[in-house]
């Protein structure tokens, strides 16, 4: 028998990986045993080395496969087949983007492929979801916490030193040249009071100046009664002024004049109280004019200079209180006020100097003491700092201790005070609103990837532990929490411990994760069949509006107008939120959920970006994700493919002619629903005749251009149908016809007799590609399946509800009230206009008077003469008016008064439109999107030129919309509304 090696096929239990060796028989059994012993020793050594290498490589693979093991099994890594017993996909643990249908080697690194994560267990529903067993959750020790709205405190810790207050330093200098004959303060550290004598200086020039003063005084006395007395008095005053400029006091000058004897010595007195901190010269030294002799510092007020890291700057504000301790007095807390934040960053230490004004009445604090300081900033909406002591107040930019309730001038420097919100504090309106509380998430839940982050949210409705990865947009960090700008809702539970392990499991599954944001998105354009997901027409239109909004944002980016860019990005957010995701299912729903998250985050990040570069980057990423939207769903923002917004103003004759085309369409739809090809072909011929009979000369302008475009598409669809003979071919052509009819119906309309028209959508038509059709009644009759599935409709939307009863804008009809009642309302309106003007003028005193006038006007309205519907409306609105006016009259400052005025401005249009008082002239409703921290607010004006009552002189023209208010029947003939940028 010859030597040979047999290689059996792999078995399910993996036992066949061992090698069986067959050798010839030998008469020497000990020799055989010796050979086997040597072979075993060599194999054992090799096996130990191999096991060590494989163990190192397999740790990461094992963790991910264990997390994804099916519930109830303890051998996660061996679960390599699906429920049907065959592996569906194989991936590489190092390159999860690799997806192959069969096992083998990774084409990138050569490692063995492993089964994808969804085999053997329940597959998670989302692109970013991961499901694990309960046993795995316990072993991983996952912990979750709810997302909450609450004020958070950002604690900023800084170190620094005590320093002199530069504004309280005094320098004793020689104002005349001479010799220092006597220094009354012999050493530094001596405390002096204002007026104490400090230096006696000998000066020949001073002697000459005194002699000149005495001669001028004598000349004046001699010429008291002569005509030259005026000249002598001028010389005397000139001599006095010379000595004043040299530092002599009035008593000293008077003493010289009285003694009639000049002195060659001058005494210099202390100009302020304080401590002598420098003594620059000794007695006997000669000095020139300006030579510094002493430096005095008032230590009752000191500066503390702190170093703040750049990451802490969002929480530091001018006027904030600072607490600090010193090494000399452990446990004793000192306080001060931030008076200056250096505008320049130290490039070496990455810190910014923060100066704090500190009172030091006890003298415990000494210059150059080392201190440790803490600032506790309460964080409110949008990451702004909230200080209840400064809400709605006015403060001096130079002297933070000067804080007043109303606009005024600084008591120290005379500079006009500014609102505290201009320095980064929350306004009074935001502070009074519960929504000022920010949405926060624990910092441990966040896996940061820059300005965005990934968190894992627990799905409470899942049968097994399931967690969804979600990309969110973060604000600044405050203590142990991050402020969330987008991506989470209050009450959701996020993973705070074990989130990185979940992210690793998603990475192995080739799903989007923090480490691999794209995941399998590159291959997510279809459901595996190579076709794009089928979309209901209503959703296609909504996605088209998302594309249009993104195009507006890109155009605004080119203009460079930040306000326009932010407004356009907000429109993108609204368009994304307006997509009805409930009408999507399967792969389309999963794909849109991922894209919607990305698009929303792009828009939010762009709105909050502080620099042009970051805004540009955010808009660029938005357009990249818009490209994904186009590619994945095949949607377009071409207006010709979307439902029109409303009918053109066309004649009833044209609509009657369209009825023939509509009747032919309905006949074709009913024939196909009844599986009747002959009747369907007859309806197609009817449609051709009806289309030829429509007189296009009845239209002009945009309506004519739109009809010519629609007519070409209709003609193409009908010609395609005329070539069809089989039922399935007719149905395919009818699909094209149904795609051209919605814009025709919604743009031009039909006679009132036709009634409402709905668009139905069946996602199963044409091998799950989906198709839509129109009907004028509610009974679903599917033309693509006929009797097989007659009622198959997964989406229904109303596209036309009949022509409007009146082509004029609908105006409110006022209720009947006596003329006296309307006159009383006119007084209320005049008081409202007065309040609007005073707030726009930043005049809190006059605004308070206007609020009182509003209160009197409301109290003077006698509603006893009205009843019925009018009385019911007035009683309801009167309560709302009173609430708003009470808020204005009780406001302590102009900002809370503005908040009350915003409430009043929501009620006044109802009063004007319902009761139509004779106020004379036009009334305009204006809206500012930036008022009250971006929440926006409206107001009314009697003129069209905007005067913003919420910003005043700061942004007097801030307005994004101007509309003329319809004042009942009296306004029926007024013009159209105006829109302003």
């Amino acid at each position: 028998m010859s030597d040979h090696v047999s290689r059996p096929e792999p078995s399910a239990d993996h036992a066949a990986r061992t090698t069986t060796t067959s050798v010839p028989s030998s008469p020497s059994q000990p020799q055989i045993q010796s050979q086997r012993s040597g072979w075993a020793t060599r194999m054992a050594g090799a096996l130990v080395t191999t096991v060590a290498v494989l163990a190192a490589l397999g740790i990461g693979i094992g963790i991910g496969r264990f997390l994804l093991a099916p519930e109830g099994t303890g051998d996660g890594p061996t679960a390599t087949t699906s429920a049907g017993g065959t592996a569906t996909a194989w991936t590489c643990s190092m390159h999860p983007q690799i997806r192959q249908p069969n096992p083998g080697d990774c084409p990138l690194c050569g490692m063995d492929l492993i089964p994808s994560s969804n085999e053997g267990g329940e597959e998670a529903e989302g692109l970013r979801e991961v499901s694990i067993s309960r046993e795995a959750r316990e072993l991983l020790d996952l912990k979750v916490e709810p997302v909450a709205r609450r004020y958070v405190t950002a604690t900023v810790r800084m170190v620094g030193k005590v320093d002199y207050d530069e504004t309280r330093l005094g320098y004793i200098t020689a104002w005349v040249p001479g010799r220092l004959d006597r220094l009354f303060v012999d050493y530094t550290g001596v405390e002096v009071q204002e007026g104490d004598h400090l230096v006696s200086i000998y000066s020949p020039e001073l002697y000459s100046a005194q002699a000149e003063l005495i001669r001028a005084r004598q000349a004046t006395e001699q010429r008291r009664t002569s005509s030259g007395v005026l000249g002598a008095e001028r010389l005397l005053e000139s001599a006095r002024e010379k000595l004043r400029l040299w530092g002599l006091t009035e008593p000293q000058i008077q003493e010289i004049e009285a003694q009639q004897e000049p002195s060659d010595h001058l005494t210099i007195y202390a100009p302020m109280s304080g401590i002598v901190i420098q003594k620059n010269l000794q007695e006997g030294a000669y000095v020139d004019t300006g030579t510094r002799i002493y430096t005095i510092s008032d230590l009752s007020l000191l500066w503390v200079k702190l170093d703040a890291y750049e990451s802490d700057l969002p929480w530091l504000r001018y006027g904030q209180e600072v607490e600090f301790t010193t090494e000399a007095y452990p446990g004793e807390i000192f306080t001060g006020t931030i008076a200056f934040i250096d505008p320049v960053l130290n490039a070496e230490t990455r810190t910014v100097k923060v100066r704090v004004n500190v009172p030091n009445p006890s003298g415990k604090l000494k210059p150059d003491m080392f201190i440790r300081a803490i600032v506790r900033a309460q964080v409110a909406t949008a990451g702004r700092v909230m200080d209840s002591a400064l809400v709605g107040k006015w403060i001096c930019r130079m002297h933070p201790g000067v804080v007043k309730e109303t606009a005024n001038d600084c008591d120290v420097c005379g500079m006009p005070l500014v609102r505290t919100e201009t320095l980064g504090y929350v306004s009074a309106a935001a502070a009074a609103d519960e929504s000022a509380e920010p949405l926060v998430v624990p910092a441990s839940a966040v896996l940061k990837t820059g300005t965005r982050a990934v968190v894992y949210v627990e799905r409470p409705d899942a049968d097994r532990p399931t967690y969804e990865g979600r990309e969110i947009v973060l604000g600044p960090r405050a203590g142990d929490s991050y402020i969330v700008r987008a991506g989470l809702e209050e009450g959701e539970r996020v993973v705070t411990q074990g989130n990185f392990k979940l992210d690793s499991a998603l990475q192995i599954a080739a799903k989007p994760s923090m480490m691999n944001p794209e995941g399998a998105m590159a291959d997510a354009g279809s459901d595996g069949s190579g076709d794009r997901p089928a979309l209901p027409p209503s959703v296609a239109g909504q996605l088209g509006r998302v594309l249009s909004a993104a195009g507006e944002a890109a155009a605004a980016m080119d203009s460079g107008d930040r306000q326009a860019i932010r407004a356009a990005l907000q429109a993108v957010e609204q368009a994304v939120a307006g997509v009805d995701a409930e009408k999507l299912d399967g792969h389309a729903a999963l794909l849109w959920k991922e894209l919607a998250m990305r698009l929303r985050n792009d828009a939010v990040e762009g709105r909050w970006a502080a620099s042009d570069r970051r805004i540009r980057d955010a808009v660029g990423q938005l357009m990249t994700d818009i490209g994904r939207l186009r590619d994945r769903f095949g949607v377009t923002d071409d207006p010709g493919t979307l439902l029109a917004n409303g009918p053109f103003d066309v004649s009833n004759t044209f609509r009657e002619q369209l009825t023939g085309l509509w009747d032919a369409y309905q006949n074709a739809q009913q024939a196909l629903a009844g599986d009747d090809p002959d009747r369907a072909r007859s309806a197609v011929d009817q449609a051709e005749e009806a289309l030829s009979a429509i007189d296009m000369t009845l239209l002009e302008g945009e309506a004519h251009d739109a009809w010519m475009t629609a007519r070409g598409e209709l003609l193409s669809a009908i010609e395609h149908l005329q070539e069809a003979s089989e039922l399935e071919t007719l149905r395919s052509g009818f699909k094209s016809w149904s795609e051209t009819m919605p814009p025709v119906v919604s743009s031009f309309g039909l006679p009132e007799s036709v009634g409402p028209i709905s668009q139905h959508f069946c996602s199963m038509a044409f091998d799950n590609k989906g198709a839509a059709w129109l009907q004028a009644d509610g009974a679903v009759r599917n033309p693509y399946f006929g009797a097989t599935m007659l009622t198959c409709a997964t989406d229904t939307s109303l596209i036309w509800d009949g022509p409007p009863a009146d082509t004029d804008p609908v105006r409110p009809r006022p209720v009947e009230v006596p003329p006296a009642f309307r006159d009383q309302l006119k007084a209320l309106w005049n008081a409202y206009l007065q309040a609007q003007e005073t707030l726009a003028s930043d005049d809190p005193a006059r605004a308070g008077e206007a609020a009182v006038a509003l209160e009197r006007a409301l109290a003077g309205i006698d509603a006893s003469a009205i009843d019925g519907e009018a009385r019911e409306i007035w009683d309801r609105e009167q309560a709302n008016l009173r609430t708003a006016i009470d808020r204005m009259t009780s406001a302590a400052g102009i900002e809370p008064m503005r908040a009350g005025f915003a409430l009043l401005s929501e009620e006044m249009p109802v009063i004007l439109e319902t009761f139509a008082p004779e106020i004379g002239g036009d009334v305009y409703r204006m809206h500012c999107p930036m008022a009250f921290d971006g929440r926006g607010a409206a107001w009314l004006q009697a003129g069209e030129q905007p005067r913003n009552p919420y910003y005043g002189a700061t942004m007097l023209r801030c307005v994004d919309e101007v509309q003329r208010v319809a004042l009942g029947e009296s306004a029926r003939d007024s013009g159209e509304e105006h829109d302003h940028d």
Side-chain angles (χ1 to χ4, degrees), residues 714-727:
L714 287 167
L715 187 60
S716 175
I718 292 172
E719 289 175 350
H720 178 67
L721 276 166
Q722 287 177 327
E723 298 174 358
S725 58
E726 301 296 330
L727 186 61

Side-chain angles (χ1 to χ4, degrees), residues 147 439 453 455 457 468-474 484-490 492 494 573 597 600-601 604:
V147 180
L439 188 68
V455 296
V457 183
E468 175 192 2
R470 195 177 300 173
E471 188 181 88
I472 64 174
V473 180
L474 292 178
V484 179
R485 287 177 174 160
L488 288 172
E489 298 293 336
E490 184 178 4
E492 290 185 313
V494 294
E573 286 183 69
M597 177 186 70
R600 178 206 63 220
N601 290 349
V604 171

Side-chain angles (χ1 to χ4, degrees), residues 402-435:
V402 180
V403 180
K404 297 187 178 182
E405 296 288 338
T406 59
N408 212 319
D409 294 332
C410 176
D411 299 333
V412 179
C413 64
M415 289 180 61
L417 303 184
V418 298
R419 294 191 188 96
T420 54
E421 55 263 35
T422 63
L423 302 176
Y425 292 96
V426 172
S427 67
D433 193 338
E434 290 182 358
S435 65

Side-chain angles (χ1 to χ4, degrees), residues 88-419:
T88 57
W90 294 74
T91 186
C92 175
S93 59
M94 298 299 293
H95 302 91
Q97 69 271 25
I98 301 300
R99 309 282 288 184
Q100 294 188 4
N102 298 309
D105 296 335
C106 174
L108 298 180
C109 64
M111 290 182 62
D112 290 339
L113 298 181
I114 62 173
S116 61
S117 61
N118 58 350
E119 283 81 29
E122 178 184 350
E123 184 177 1
E125 296 180 3
L127 290 179
R128 291 177 178 261
E129 288 185 4
V130 56
S131 294
I132 63 176
S133 66
R134 289 182 173 83
E135 292 83 356
R137 181 179 62 184
E138 295 299 326
L139 291 173
L140 292 176
D141 193 22
L142 296 182
K143 294 182 179 179
V144 295
E145 289 185 25
V147 180
R149 281 195 177 275
R150 58 184 174 86
Y151 292 118
V152 291
T153 300
T155 301
V156 180
R157 301 183 183 277
M158 297 174 285
V159 295
K161 288 184 177 181
V162 180
D163 201 352
Y164 300 104
D165 185 342
E166 293 177 4
T167 65
R168 293 178 177 270
L169 289 176
Y171 300 102
I172 309 303
T173 61
W175 290 12
V176 293
R179 183 183 69 243
L180 303 180
D181 279 357
R182 178 72 184 274
L183 297 180
F184 296 100
V185 177
D186 297 331
Y187 54 89
T188 59
V190 175
E191 182 178 359
V192 298
Q193 300 297 323
E194 182 179 357
D196 287 352
H197 56 281
L198 298 179
V199 179
S200 177
I201 183 172
Y202 163 76
S203 174
E205 294 183 16
L206 180 64
Y207 184 89
S208 300
Q210 293 180 57
E212 181 181 343
L213 172 66
I214 293 172
R215 287 194 299 270
R217 176 63 182 266
Q218 292 173 347
T220 303
E221 293 293 335
Q222 293 171 359
R223 300 178 183 179
R224 179 67 61 185
T225 58
S226 66
S227 59
V229 67
L230 294 178
E233 288 181 349
R234 284 196 293 269
L235 289 174
L236 175 60
E237 185 59 31
S238 176
R240 289 170 178 169
E241 183 63 22
K242 184 176 182 179
L243 292 176
R244 290 191 195 103
L245 294 175
W246 278 357
L248 272 71
T249 63
E250 287 295 335
Q252 287 176 307
I253 296 174
Q254 293 172 6
E255 183 180 356
I256 295 170
E257 293 182 20
Q259 292 179 353
Q260 296 288 309
E261 186 71 29
S263 171
D264 55 4
H265 280 76
L266 169 69
T267 301
I268 301 177
Y269 297 93
M272 58 180 288
S273 300
I275 305 297
V276 176
I277 61 174
Q278 285 184 357
K279 176 173 174 284
N280 299 328
L281 298 173
Q282 302 298 326
E283 290 183 359
Y286 280 85
V287 295
D288 294 324
T289 302
T291 301
R292 186 178 298 178
I293 305 171
Y294 293 113
T295 301
I296 300 176
S297 175
D298 180 3
L299 300 185
S300 63
L301 284 173
L302 294 172
W303 286 356
V304 169
K305 293 184 178 180
L306 304 170
D307 291 318
Y309 289 107
E310 56 182 318
S311 59
D312 293 328
L313 291 180
W315 312 125
L316 299 179
R317 296 289 186 274
Y318 174 88
Q320 272 179 316
E321 184 179 85
V322 179
E323 296 180 354
F324 63 92
T325 59
T326 67
E327 297 289 339
Y329 307 101
E332 185 172 356
I333 297 177
F334 300 87
T335 60
T337 304
I338 294 179
F340 182 74
I341 300 176
D342 198 327
V344 179
L345 179 77
N346 187 317
E348 295 180 358
T349 62
R350 310 306 301 173
T351 60
V352 169
K353 286 292 183 183
V354 177
R355 194 188 78 211
V356 179
N357 288 356
V358 180
N360 186 34
S362 63
K364 288 185 177 181
L365 297 176
K366 317 294 182 185
D368 286 330
M369 274 186 171
F370 180 80
I371 62 103
R372 292 182 174 86
I374 294 178
V375 174
R376 294 180 176 88
Q378 190 176 33
V379 184
T381 302
R384 303 189 74 182
V385 175
M386 178 178 178
D387 188 337
S388 57
L390 296 177
V391 169
K393 303 295 179 63
W394 297 72
I395 192 170
C396 177
R397 287 186 178 273
M398 296 294 293
H399 301 92
V402 180
V403 180
K404 297 187 178 182
E405 296 288 338
T406 59
N408 212 319
D409 294 332
C410 176
D411 299 333
V412 179
C413 64
M415 289 180 61
L417 303 184
V418 298
R419 294 191 188 96

Side-chain angles (χ1 to χ4, degrees), residues 829-830 832-833 836 919-926 939-945:
W829 167 249
N830 290 334
Y832 174 88
L833 290 181
Q836 181 264 326
I919 59 177
D922 294 328
V923 176
Y924 296 92
R925 179 186 181 274
M926 303 189 180
W939 73 95
L940 302 183
Q941 279 189 202
E944 195 175 0
Q945 187 66 30

Side-chain angles (χ1 to χ4, degrees), residues 475-776:
R477 179 168 179 167
D480 294 331
S481 302
Y482 277 104
I483 293 176
V484 179
R485 287 177 174 160
L488 288 172
E489 298 293 336
E490 184 178 4
E492 290 185 313
R493 297 170 63 84
V494 294
V495 178
T496 58
Q497 180 173 302
N499 43 2
F500 192 82
K501 299 171 185 176
L502 295 177
D503 192 84
S504 299
L506 278 181
Q507 185 184 7
I508 290 176
K511 291 186 175 184
S513 62
M514 180 198 71
M515 300 297 293
N516 186 23
E518 294 302 317
M521 278 294 292
D523 301 321
S526 68
D527 55 5
S529 63
D531 296 323
R532 292 185 173 118
L535 292 178
S538 59
V539 176
Q542 293 163 355
L543 293 182
R545 283 187 281 276
V546 173
L547 267 62
S548 298
E552 293 292 334
M557 185 71 242
D558 294 337
S559 71
D561 186 343
R562 282 197 180 186
Q563 184 174 348
I565 296 170
R566 291 192 169 102
L569 290 173
Q570 189 168 21
V572 173
E573 286 183 69
Q574 295 169 350
V576 171
V579 176
D580 189 0
E582 297 295 328
K583 293 183 178 180
L584 299 174
D585 56 13
H587 183 73
L590 297 181
L591 194 54
W592 169 245
K593 184 177 182 180
E594 176 72 15
L595 287 172
M597 177 186 70
R598 296 184 180 210
L599 293 169
R600 178 206 63 220
N601 290 349
D602 296 337
V604 171
E605 187 172 355
R607 283 203 304 113
W608 283 98
S611 65
D612 292 337
R613 181 183 62 81
R614 289 196 172 185
I615 295 176
R616 187 166 52 252
D617 291 346
V619 174
Q621 184 59 46
L622 172 67
M623 300 314 296
T624 298
D625 289 328
I626 285 293
R628 290 190 176 102
L629 177 62
R630 294 177 186 271
D631 180 59
R632 305 303 193 266
F633 288 103
V635 295
T636 174
D637 52 359
D638 181 6
T641 65
L642 304 177
L643 299 179
N645 292 327
F648 290 111
D649 186 12
V650 299
S651 65
N652 290 330
T653 302
F654 184 81
R655 288 181 177 145
E656 290 290 346
Q657 293 178 359
L658 280 182
T659 306
L661 179 64
W662 170 251
D663 290 341
Y665 176 85
Q666 284 289 81
N667 290 337
Q669 183 263 325
Q670 294 171 6
L672 294 175
D675 299 321
D676 188 343
D678 294 334
R679 184 183 169 194
R681 283 190 291 270
S682 176
V684 172
D685 295 336
Q686 178 187 354
E688 183 183 24
E689 296 175 3
L691 184 61
S692 301
I694 295 175
D695 184 4
M696 67 185 68
T697 62
L698 296 173
L699 304 175
E700 59 184 15
E702 292 183 0
H704 182 270
D705 295 340
W707 170 249
M708 295 305 296
T709 300
R711 186 180 185 279
E713 295 177 353
L714 287 167
L715 187 60
S716 175
I718 292 172
E719 289 175 350
H720 178 67
L721 276 166
Q722 287 177 327
E723 298 174 358
S725 58
E726 301 296 330
L727 186 61
E728 292 306 317
T729 311
L730 287 167
R731 282 172 168 155
S732 177
F734 183 77
K735 177 177 180 291
S736 300
W737 190 5
S738 297
E739 291 172 352
T740 62
M741 286 299 289
V744 171
V745 172
S746 60
S747 297
F748 300 100
L750 293 168
E752 187 174 1
S753 58
V754 174
I757 295 177
S758 298
Q759 186 174 44
H760 301 278
F761 177 76
C762 175
S763 60
M764 301 175 64
F766 302 107
D767 296 328
N768 296 320
K769 296 178 182 178
W773 73 95
L774 304 182
Q775 283 188 206

